[in-house]
Amino acid sequence: MRTARAVSAGGVVLAELRPDAPVALVAHRSVRGSLQWTLPKGAREEGESVTQTALREVREETGLEVELIGPLDTIDYWFVWAPERTRYHKFVHYFLMHVVGGDFSERDHEMEDAAWFEPAEARRRMSFANERRLLDLIPDVLAVQNTGGS
């Protein structure tokens, strides 16, 4: 089995610029058919920076136009893609963003659903603990933003 690296990027999208604002989540079916609510994210395309990937993927998966606030964190994990007999080390770069336009109805059909959730409900719905942990980083990123990055 060969080993490869994969890079994706996405965002935690806030409805308003405040730590307790609603968060946008997207839903898709797992391989086993269960509905999974996650943060919008996707694979980096050739020539894109991770920031460009994050903005594009959020727009495609949610239908929302967003503005970047700042970096949150990078999550990494391993998975095996059986058809290729490849073990991937995946890095997903997440950014904090806030909505400036668009509408969930404008999302692509890759996602089954997209919706706003209050932070406590978002935590309950989110399928992955490593993504839930990103919500804890929101107040610090907003505080840096509000002090001009110092």
Side-chain angles (χ1 to χ4, degrees):
M1 184 170 293
R2 69 182 194 100
T3 302
R5 178 184 166 118
V7 177
S8 290
V12 174
V13 181
L14 300 177
E16 300 171 25
L17 279 175
R18 54 184 176 83
D20 60 343
V23 176
L25 298 180
V26 294
H28 60 91
R29 295 282 165 185
S30 71
V31 174
R32 293 185 178 94
S34 64
L35 193 64
Q36 294 182 322
W37 285 94
T38 66
L39 295 170
K41 66 181 175 301
R44 184 172 68 180
E45 293 181 355
E46 186 72 31
E48 276 185 330
S49 69
V50 292
T51 304
Q52 291 167 327
T53 300
L55 292 168
R56 177 184 52 76
E57 285 290 341
V58 166
R59 184 179 59 254
E60 289 174 2
E61 292 191 353
T62 65
L64 302 175
E65 295 296 327
V66 296
E67 185 174 273
L68 191 76
I69 297 169
L72 274 173
D73 201 2
T74 301
I75 294 173
D76 73 296
Y77 55 91
W78 291 89
F79 70 94
V80 173
W81 184 244
E84 295 178 4
R85 296 183 44 81
T86 303
R87 185 171 186 246
Y88 282 92
H89 191 186
K90 186 165 188 173
F91 295 83
V92 186
H93 302 271
Y94 284 98
F95 297 86
L96 186 60
M97 305 171 176
H98 75 98
V99 67
V100 293
D103 187 87
F104 289 134
S105 67
E106 298 171 21
R107 75 182 186 283
D108 66 23
H109 296 293
E110 178 183 340
M111 292 297 131
E112 191 166 315
D113 200 0
W116 293 111
F117 293 96
E118 294 298 326
E121 180 64 15
R123 285 178 196 281
R124 284 192 289 277
R125 295 272 183 132
M126 292 170 80
S127 297
F128 303 109
N130 58 2
E131 289 188 359
R132 284 192 294 274
R133 183 184 56 77
L134 295 173
L135 300 182
D136 298 332
L137 305 176
I138 295 170
D140 289 340
V141 174
L142 284 176
V144 168
Q145 169 73 11
N146 291 334
T147 59
S150 55

